[in-house]
Amino acid sequence: MLYTSAEASKLLRKLNEEKLSIESRERQSSTFVAATTEDIEAVRPEYDYTETQAEIDEIEAKIRKVKHAINKFNIEHELPGFNMTIDQVLIYIPQLTKRKSKLSAMKDKLPRERNSTSRFNGAIEYTYANYMIKQAKEDFTRISDELARVQVALDTINNSVRFEIDI
């Protein structure tokens, strides 16, 4: 069946939720407590070990197929306008985000800031920016624009290009 990356991610989330549900039911029913005065068979919860393990195995096989298909798609497809495969872009986005955060702090610095405490006998100390604040502001804008551009391009391809997942 054909899926977009966005659809495949939703399918993956659904499969993981199914697996968690089965595992939760298994935790609740694989063991039970009965008083010595109770009829054990009357309080025994319904549980089939073999069937439960088979269900988990089947879902895990589907999860592997979906993840493999997504990874293969990400490795084989280049993001238009970026000269990078999608898997490289998935590394590039956190790099840009980290750089944007650093530049955000740098662009907001004053050229000279008075320190609140002095290490030297009453002398006033200042911290000086050792870079061009204007350049940090320009770089912040450039990085912010690049991050937005790459995110939009990735969203577009994730919601439009289909690939085969055989599950």
Side-chain angles (χ1 to χ4, degrees), residues 68-135:
H68 175 71
I70 292 170
N71 290 339
K72 186 176 177 199
F73 176 79
N74 289 346
I75 289 169
E76 293 176 352
H77 286 79
E78 193 169 288
L79 193 64
F82 288 91
N83 196 31
M84 284 186 252
T85 59
I86 294 171
D87 70 314
Q88 290 172 316
V89 167
L90 293 173
I91 297 165
Y92 186 49
I93 288 174
Q95 290 172 335
L96 289 173
T97 301
K98 185 176 179 182
R99 186 178 301 166
K100 179 183 172 186
S101 178
K102 176 187 79 169
L103 290 171
S104 177
M106 291 180 80
K107 76 177 180 58
D108 294 335
K109 288 281 185 198
L110 296 172
R112 179 178 81 166
E113 294 178 5
R114 185 176 179 165
N115 293 345
S116 58
T117 60
S118 176
R119 296 177 299 195
F120 303 109
N121 303 333
I124 297 172
E125 285 185 346
Y126 289 92
T127 299
Y128 295 88
N130 198 21
Y131 58 91
M132 300 299 297
I133 293 172
K134 181 181 178 203
Q135 183 65 49

Side-chain angles (χ1 to χ4, degrees), residues 52-82:
T52 301
Q53 300 318 302
E55 282 182 86
I56 291 171
D57 288 345
E58 183 182 330
I59 291 173
E60 286 178 340
K62 287 179 182 179
I63 289 170
R64 287 190 303 273
K65 286 180 180 183
V66 172
K67 282 186 173 187
H68 175 71
I70 292 170
N71 290 339
K72 186 176 177 199
F73 176 79
N74 289 346
I75 289 169
E76 293 176 352
H77 286 79
E78 193 169 288
L79 193 64
F82 288 91

